[in-house]
Amino acid sequence: MDMTLWLGLAGSVIAVLAAYAGYLLYKLYRQTTRHKAFMARAELHQAEKIKERNTNIMDSVFIIAEAGKQDQCDMSEISIRLYKLMEVLQGELQVDFASQYPAMNELYQVVKDMHRGDARKALQKKERMKQDLLRMKAEARLGDDIKRELDVILTLKA
């Protein structure tokens, strides 16, 4: 009789522990399911935000490209602005600027370290003229190719 009592008690403890383990597994399953759903929503939200950001960036790119086609802005300024905008595109719109737009990239490499704004005004006249000459030579040499690259960018608008 004594052994039966102990076996019954041990069986009861095992049954309670098994029920508790089942309960914990069920809670883990629910938590995992909720986490997967949350991650899916977060990825979708992130993809929407990336798409929205890329759209805003491309709107600016098209405006700048159009201004370049209409000679409303220096080619060096266009190259700088387009490079900076297009390097932050994400996802399927990500651009390898150097290979897709080699003329603009070359001009960007020439002018990227030149002083602008107040820093340019602080330069001595001789240094400013030297930078201007270098910039104008590069713009003249690359201008036609850059215009063709702007046409390529504007075809993306359609």
Side-chain angles (χ1 to χ4, degrees), residues 65-133:
E66 194 62 49
K69 285 295 293 176
Q70 297 172 4
D71 294 322
Q72 295 175 350
C73 193
D74 291 337
M75 287 297 159
S76 56
E77 189 66 27
I78 287 168
S79 296
I80 291 169
R81 289 175 185 260
L82 291 180
Y83 180 89
K84 291 298 185 181
L85 282 170
M86 294 178 113
E87 77 177 343
V88 295
L89 287 170
Q90 294 176 300
E92 71 277 356
L93 290 180
Q94 203 165 13
V95 172
D96 179 8
F97 197 81
S99 65
Q100 286 185 262
Y101 308 108
M104 276 192 282
N105 184 63
E106 186 178 340
L107 183 56
Y108 172 76
Q109 296 303 324
V110 169
V111 298
K112 71 179 180 180
D113 294 325
M114 289 184 180
H115 294 86
R116 297 183 348 185
D118 291 335
R120 184 178 186 287
K121 290 177 187 174
L123 288 176
Q124 291 181 353
K125 185 176 181 179
K126 185 177 180 181
E127 183 62 29
R128 259 196 328 261
M129 291 175 68
K130 181 180 171 186
Q131 286 186 2
D132 287 346
L133 182 63

Side-chain angles (χ1 to χ4, degrees), residues 20-73:
Y20 184 61
Y23 170 73
L24 290 177
L25 284 173
Y26 173 71
K27 281 183 70 172
L28 180 62
Y29 169 77
R30 279 188 25 205
Q31 181 180 2
T32 303
T33 304
R34 282 195 308 262
H35 181 70
K36 285 180 183 177
F38 170 78
M39 292 303 290
R41 284 192 311 271
E43 286 176 14
L44 182 62
H45 180 71
Q46 183 179 15
E48 289 171 358
K49 288 295 183 185
I50 287 172
K51 184 177 179 183
E52 181 181 319
R53 181 172 180 262
N54 281 348
T55 300
N56 290 339
I57 290 170
M58 288 308 292
D59 287 345
S60 296
V61 165
F62 295 140
I63 290 169
I64 293 167
E66 194 62 49
K69 285 295 293 176
Q70 297 172 4
D71 294 322
Q72 295 175 350
C73 193

